[in-house]
């Protein structure tokens, strides 16, 4: 897999965890920089079924091994969509060094 970056995502990292008046955990995110990624729809049926999501709501990104992205980060695009990383970020070190993550588009954001 060769990395073909085609999209800039804005990375927001979790800075604080608190509990609201109803006892639910709320997370606060802070802008941490932009990342250049190769953004694609996830076409693999087995991966979609493993995560239990629809075809049009699961994406994959490939990015340079030196790019900082954490499993707990939120990624946002210029169209106002917010993406959450599901599963783990995978690193590939044979031939082409890159990382891969699956994203799901967050409802309402």
């Amino acid at each position: 897999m060769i990395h073909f970056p085609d999209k800039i995502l804005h990375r927001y990292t979790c800075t604080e965890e608190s509990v609201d008046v109803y006892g639910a955990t709320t997370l606060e995110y802070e802008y941490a920089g932009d990342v250049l990624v190769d953004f694609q729809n996830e076409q693999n049926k087995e991966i979609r079924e493993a995560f239990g999501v629809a075809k049009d709501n699961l994406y994959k990104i490939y990015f340079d091994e030196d790019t900082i992205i954490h499993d707990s980060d939120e990624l946002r695009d210029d169209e106002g969509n917010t993406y959450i990383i599901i599963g783990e970020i995978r690193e590939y070190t044979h031939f082409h060094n890159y990382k891969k993550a699956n994203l799901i588009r967050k409802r309402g954001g």
Side-chain angles (χ1 to χ4, degrees), residues 4-9 35-39 76-79 81 83:
F4 295 105
D6 62 352
K7 189 169 190 145
I8 294 176
L9 295 176
V35 292
L36 184 61
V37 300
D38 179 356
F39 189 90
R76 300 175 190 171
D77 63 17
D78 291 332
E79 290 83 38
N81 297 309
Y83 303 93

Side-chain angles (χ1 to χ4, degrees), residues 14-40:
C14 185
T15 57
E16 189 174 322
E17 188 174 309
S18 59
V19 178
D20 67 10
V21 294
Y22 300 106
T25 301
T26 58
L27 303 174
E28 293 188 29
Y29 289 88
E30 183 177 297
Y31 176 74
D34 292 343
V35 292
L36 184 61
V37 300
D38 179 356
F39 189 90
Q40 301 176 16

Side-chain angles (χ1 to χ4, degrees), residues 62-100:
Y62 298 94
F63 49 97
D64 187 82
E65 66 178 335
D66 298 326
T67 303
I68 297 172
I69 297 180
H70 303 289
D71 293 343
S72 60
D73 288 347
E74 279 190 356
L75 302 169
R76 300 175 190 171
D77 63 17
D78 291 332
E79 290 83 38
N81 297 309
T82 300
Y83 303 93
I84 299 170
I85 297 171
I86 55 176
E88 295 179 341
I89 296 174
R90 293 166 307 284
E91 293 187 41
Y92 298 90
T93 58
H94 296 287
F95 304 115
H96 303 286
N97 296 330
Y98 66 94
K99 295 180 184 177
K100 177 185 176 184

Side-chain angles (χ1 to χ4, degrees), residues 52-54 56-57 74 80-84 104-109:
V53 295
D56 62 346
N57 203 28
E74 279 190 356
N81 297 309
T82 300
Y83 303 93
I84 299 170
I104 188 167
R105 188 175 59 239
K106 190 175 177 180
R107 289 184 178 183

